[in-house]
């Protein structure tokens, strides 16, 4: 790619040609869901654009010029298109996303050059963005940025963004994406992990690093470097690059030798001082399941004869390390003053994150901070219940019809609480809704369990504390 020309390039003509040729998000989704035989292109231009920018096929030069009537020559000059005789091909897949058009590598490049393969907007990238607490950072670091989507979305929201990646080709594609989206300037840095930003600090760090726990593969985009764990490589350093009160959000996978100590590796890597942390395991697989999961997505191993020995290599690697399972999850860190530290661990099966996830994580850290600074009994505090709590009732058929058997509630993002609730806990939540302290309903709670109100006060206070930690209530005195 011609870097000098790219810096001066305005993609308006190219985007106009794509729109005119109906190379749009909806059309691409239809083409992706149907095979090439079933899909009927709406025009010759659309057919050629799909061949060039989605399928990675070459087409006749004359056909490409007709499909790109205003931008063909500039795409050749930039190095996006390559001419070979009378044929033309694209070096990059161009996808239409809700945010706009973005470049990525064609999947077949993973077969030929896996060492510098650049993915598109992966589901994991969108997961990281949903994890960002509800804060307004001025400065953002997109660590292991790949094609740059995370950093670009933050830049478009008005943040000053620095983005770094080990793969120089990823940074080239990220700069192309910056031009395609028309986003503000980003400071692109090339290098391993945090080396490119030595001595710098940020209000927010987002990281979707290569976390696949393999015995060492050849894909920079996916595999953790051989014998290196992302948790131990990055977690001790992240807080050093945060401004006071700043957050770091990172996805990671890790191995464990005992299911009772699933958190051992990442927990040991989180600094003891100067940081608050939330470590969350969302999924757990056996070594065999994990190997099948990742190799099943790799085009290099779709053939059974190629996949079997590779699965065997992975499983033998886990056996040598005495690995019983592999966890997937995330870590949120917040830079804090000495004496304000806390470390919280949670394990719950979650398949996707809701839009409210970042708000719930922000509320978790604010509640924890409030708890540390609060003196006095929680029973005397006025709380309010957060909006969006969901309650479902389980019922059984009795003699007189359906009778409520169990009650379950979930926090708004279904993240920090998803479980059964008894009438006493429900009454505490109702007290928060009424804006009255829990002590005023203590006698009522005691009557539910047939105990003395003073005797159950300590247990009730612990329930209130748990509701605070699980972000189901917040103190009225705090403005969220």
């Amino acid at each position: 790619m011609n870097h000098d020309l790219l810096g001066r390039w305005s993609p308006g003509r190219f985007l106009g040609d794509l729109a005119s040729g109906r190379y749009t998000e909806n059309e691409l989704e239809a083409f992706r869901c149907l095979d090439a035989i079933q899909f009927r292109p709406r025009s010759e231009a659309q057919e050629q654009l799909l061949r060039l920018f989605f399928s990675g096929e070459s087409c006749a030069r004359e056909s490409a010029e007709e499909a790109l009537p205003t931008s063909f020559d500039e795409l050749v000059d930039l190095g996006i298109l390559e001419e070979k005789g009378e044929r033309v091909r694209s070096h990059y897949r161009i996808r239409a996303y809700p945010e706009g058009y973005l470049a990525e590598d064609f999947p077949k490049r993973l077969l030929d050059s896996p060492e510098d393969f650049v993915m598109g907007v992966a589901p994991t990238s969108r997961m990281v963005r949903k994890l960002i607490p509800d804060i307004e950072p001025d400065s953002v670091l997109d660590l292991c940025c790949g094609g740059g989507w995370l950093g670009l979305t933050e830049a478009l929201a008005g943040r000053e963004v620095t983005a770094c990646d080990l793969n120089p080709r990823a940074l080239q594609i990220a700069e192309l994406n910056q031009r395609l989206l028309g986003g503000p300037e980003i400071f692109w840095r090339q290098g391993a992990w945090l080396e490119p930003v030595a001595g710098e600090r940020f209000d927010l760090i987002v990281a979707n690093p290569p976390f696949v726990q393999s015995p060492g593969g050849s894909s920079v985009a996916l595999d953790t470097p051989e014998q290196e764990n992302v948790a131990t490589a990055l977690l001790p350093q992240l807080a050093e690059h945060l401004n006071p009160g700043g957050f770091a959000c990172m996805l990671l996978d890790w191995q464990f030798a005992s299911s009772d100590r699933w958190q051992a590796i990442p927990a040991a890597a989180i600094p003891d001082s100067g940081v608050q942390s939330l470590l969350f395991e969302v999924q757990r697989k056996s070594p065999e399941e994990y190997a099948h999961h990742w190799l099943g997505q790799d085009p290099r191993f779709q053939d059974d004869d190629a996949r079997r020995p590779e699965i065997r290599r992975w499983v033998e690697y886990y056996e040598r390390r005495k690995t019983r399972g592999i966890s997937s999850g995330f870590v949120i860190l917040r830079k804090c003053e000495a004496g304000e530290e806390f470390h919280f661990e949670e394990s719950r099966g979650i398949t996707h994150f809701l839009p409210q996830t970042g708000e719930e994580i922000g509320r978790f850290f604010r509640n924890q901070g409030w708890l540390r600074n609060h003196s006095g009994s929680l029973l005397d505090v006025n709380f309010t219940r957060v909006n969006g709590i969901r309650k479902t009732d389980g019922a059984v058929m009795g003699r007189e019809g359906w009778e409520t058997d169990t009650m379950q509630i979930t926090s708004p993002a279904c993240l920090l609480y998803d479980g059964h609730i008894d009438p006493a806990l429900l009454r505490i939540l109702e007290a928060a809704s009424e804006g009255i302290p829990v002590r005023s309903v203590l006698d009522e709670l005691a009557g539910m369990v047939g105990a003395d109100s003073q005797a159950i006060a300590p247990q009730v206070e612990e329930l209130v504390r748990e509701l605070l930690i699980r972000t189901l209530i917040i103190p009225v005195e705090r403005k969220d």
Side-chain angles (χ1 to χ4, degrees), residues 307-323:
R307 187 164 58 249
R308 284 195 200 97
E310 185 66 7
I311 288 177
R312 192 179 311 117
R313 185 172 78 94
W314 284 43
V315 172
E316 289 173 353
Y317 161 71
Y318 298 135
E319 289 173 349
R320 290 194 302 272
R321 294 174 62 89
K322 296 180 170 36
T323 296

Side-chain angles (χ1 to χ4, degrees), residues 141-145 162-167 171 189-198 200 202 205-213 219-238 241 250-253:
L141 172 63
D142 182 2
L143 182 61
C144 306
C145 66
T162 300
C164 56
D165 200 285
L166 176 64
N167 182 1
L171 296 177
R189 310 276 181 83
Q190 192 267 326
W193 303 134
L194 289 155
E195 290 176 5
V197 292
E200 298 181 56
F202 305 89
I205 298 175
V206 289
N208 183 18
F211 53 69
V212 178
Q213 298 291 294
S219 174
V220 172
L222 295 174
D223 294 311
T224 293
E226 189 171 3
Q227 305 303 324
E228 184 174 5
N229 190 288
V230 172
T232 55
L234 285 180
L235 284 176
Q237 304 177 54
L238 286 176
H241 292 270
M250 185 175 79
L251 294 185
L252 70 163
D253 286 5

